[in-house]
Amino acid sequence: MQQVYDYVIVGGGSSGCALAGRLSEDPNVSVILLEAGGNGNSWLVNTPAAVALMVPRKLNNWAFETVPQPELNGRKGYQPRGKVLGGTSAINAMVYIRGHHSDYDHWAALGNKDWSYKHVLPYFKRSEHNHEFNDEWHGQNGPLQISKLRTNNPFQRHFLHAAEQIGYPINQDFNGAQQEGIGIYQVTQYNGQRCSSFHAYVLPHLGKRNNLTVVTGAFTQRILFDGKCAVGVEYRQGDQLHTIRAQQEVILSAGVFQSPQLLMLSGIGDAVELQKLAVPLVHHLPGVGKNLQDHPDFIFCYESKDINLFGFSIKGGVHLAKEILRYRRERQGMITSNFAEGGGFLKTRPELATPNIQLSFVVAMIDDHARKLHASHGFSCHVSLMRPKSIGSVSLRNKSIETPPVIDPKFLEHPQDLEDMVEGYKMTEKLMMAPAIAQFITGIPFTSQVKTDDDIRAILRARIDTMYHPVGTCKMGIDDMAVVDPSLRVHGLKGLRVVDASIMPTLIGGNTNAVSIMIAEKATDMIVQERKLSCLVASN
């Protein structure tokens, strides 16, 4: 393996794979992609329903924990992140959501020129091959396969009928002209199989593009600098340390927790904080690791006897066995389920300009991220707050990259977040108690005794955790706490960029995987244009 490449990409997740695939389209550019996890093309990743085996455990999963959260009764939260090629797009629920148009206009208003919705829409469209919609909002020529679910689960109809019964609007496309309403999710699947960022952008080119190198089991230790210029990285593979040099750029796509961790351990961060751990300072950048934002999430659980729902029973086991055979024959049925089959975006107050809560209807009982199992069939419904006011941080625990960072989302620290979640709780419960859904309920294990607003606050504090959408720890911007500029270059340094969910200045209203891929698409254009300009200047 050569030791010098044009671009060294650290992290083979949603953004990193998309970036590697796009940059290596130019045969004159050499790209190496370093991933700490393993191969992302196993049956475990490809089979949609296998997400239930990965999220609760350390299979392809970093399985981070937060520090105890004071507003959640001192509980530690759980933060699953993909440790595999494809990153979290290889273990997530495959829901394809872009967020609200206004989210990106807000980014632009913060000083991030060319990140408004009209500027990012072309990159969303360029990334996708949408099998359901062919209109001004969607693309058909991208590598990321987007389709409707193939489960044929009747509970999708029950969910929509319940929304109609209580007057919630129905929305066929959350990524189109408007977001508000209840509907069935589009998913990153093709022919009933998962389409991760790795499947879309890298796997088709392995062994075919001589300029693309992918290394798994590569745990990057630090960024190498010549003064203020990033010139390469050091990584460990097994017991061996290796050094890779970058002729053009080092690009961090290690994710919202590990990109800031790697920056700080390489001497980029708040000088005072780094001094406490005796980390040699390369560049003072106080915003590194700050601005952590995540969607707080509460889950309603309901027991049922319907075998169209996942669960444990003799009758259900026979049904599941038939569905496994059906999946092998047709790539249809329960095994293609992403579990979170339906959802919606609603306003807790009519005067709000945009929906502020997201619902996700799950065809199984989900308790503590599926780490606690129940001996019954059932269903669940998440309610998440889209734009919480609470802001957390990521910091170093010690000087070792192999030690997980300190993750503190500060859930519900801002009192408004709790009150908004109370209203979201009421709206979600109303939907679940509509006759079309309520007729299937045989038991309510956690919320049956919740009656008053104080009861709701208590159950929220007892059971809220993440919706798996952390962002913002290397935020893009032009203020003193920004880590990267609007071109995603690290402020004050050369040859170093961050391209992943950590650059989002504010949390969007929805799932973050599609956005992470869009960021990589847009970053590719910026990198290519800068390279062309540099070559033009050099030739003159």
Side-chain angles (χ1 to χ4, degrees), residues 76-92:
K76 290 183 178 180
Y78 181 56
Q79 288 282 351
R81 295 284 94 192
K83 187 181 182 182
V84 61
L85 284 169
T88 305
S89 73
I91 72 169
N92 69 356

Side-chain angles (χ1 to χ4, degrees), residues 66-121:
T66 73
V67 298
Q69 297 294 287
E71 300 302 322
L72 302 184
N73 300 338
R75 291 182 293 116
K76 290 183 178 180
Y78 181 56
Q79 288 282 351
R81 295 284 94 192
K83 187 181 182 182
V84 61
L85 284 169
T88 305
S89 73
I91 72 169
N92 69 356
M94 294 157 276
V95 175
Y96 183 78
I97 292 290
R98 298 174 177 174
H100 196 274
H101 303 181
S102 64
D103 293 325
Y104 306 99
D105 293 338
H106 181 52
W107 289 6
L110 293 174
N112 298 295
K113 185 181 177 182
D114 297 337
W115 285 88
S116 68
Y117 183 70
K118 74 174 182 179
H119 287 101
V120 302
L121 178 59

Side-chain angles (χ1 to χ4, degrees), residues 205-426:
H205 312 300
L206 288 181
K208 299 177 183 179
R209 290 182 181 173
N210 295 328
N211 62 329
L212 174 61
T213 301
V214 178
V215 182
T216 56
F219 208 137
T220 301
Q221 307 291 297
R222 62 190 179 108
I223 306 163
L224 304 175
F225 287 92
D226 181 0
K228 295 279 187 175
C229 182
V231 295
V233 302
E234 180 182 85
Y235 72 91
R236 177 182 62 77
Q237 189 179 41
D239 296 330
Q240 300 294 315
L241 283 177
H242 303 270
T243 298
I244 294 291
R245 296 282 171 171
Q247 293 191 121
Q248 296 293 329
E249 291 185 14
V250 173
I251 305 171
L252 298 188
S253 296
V256 68
F257 301 133
Q258 288 156 300
S259 282
Q261 182 187 24
L262 187 55
L263 283 174
M264 288 184 281
L265 287 174
S266 302
I268 315 301
D270 185 275
V272 174
E273 293 178 8
L274 296 182
Q275 186 179 30
K276 292 177 181 177
L277 290 175
V279 176
L281 182 68
V282 172
H283 183 62
H284 174 61
L285 206 57
V288 175
K290 308 299 190 297
N291 194 52
L292 174 63
Q293 300 170 46
D294 196 1
H295 292 143
D297 178 69
F298 178 83
I299 307 176
F300 289 87
C301 292
Y302 302 93
E303 296 171 347
S304 177
K305 294 182 179 179
D306 196 300
I307 61 172
N308 290 297
L309 302 164
F310 286 90
F312 300 97
S313 70
I314 295 175
K315 187 177 179 181
V318 173
H319 180 65
L320 183 60
K322 293 178 180 178
E323 288 295 300
I324 291 172
L325 294 175
R326 182 186 180 194
Y327 177 73
R328 296 182 67 178
R329 291 192 312 267
E330 308 169 13
R331 291 294 186 263
Q332 299 260 4
M334 287 184 78
I335 307 304
T336 68
S337 180
N338 69 330
F339 292 94
E341 297 194 6
F345 297 86
L346 301 171
K347 299 175 182 178
T348 59
R349 302 185 303 278
E351 69 271 16
L352 292 175
T354 61
N356 65 329
I357 59 169
Q358 179 179 0
L359 277 55
S360 293
F361 181 72
V362 182
V363 291
M365 284 185 63
I366 303 298
D367 185 10
D368 190 21
H369 311 276
R371 295 184 294 182
K372 296 176 182 176
L373 300 179
H374 295 263
S376 64
H377 295 268
F379 57 92
S380 309
C381 194
H382 295 252
V383 54
S384 305
L385 183 61
M386 290 294 90
R387 298 172 191 84
K389 297 180 182 296
S390 302
I391 306 293
S393 65
V394 172
S395 57
L396 297 179
R397 196 176 302 272
N398 57 36
K399 292 177 66 174
S400 173
I401 190 68
E402 320 245 353
T403 301
V406 178
I407 300 169
D408 186 4
K410 297 189 184 299
F411 282 133
L412 304 187
E413 183 180 67
H414 195 290
Q416 187 62 48
D417 292 349
L418 180 59
E419 298 313 306
D420 287 342
M421 284 295 291
V422 168
E423 296 308 312
Y425 180 105
K426 295 175 181 177

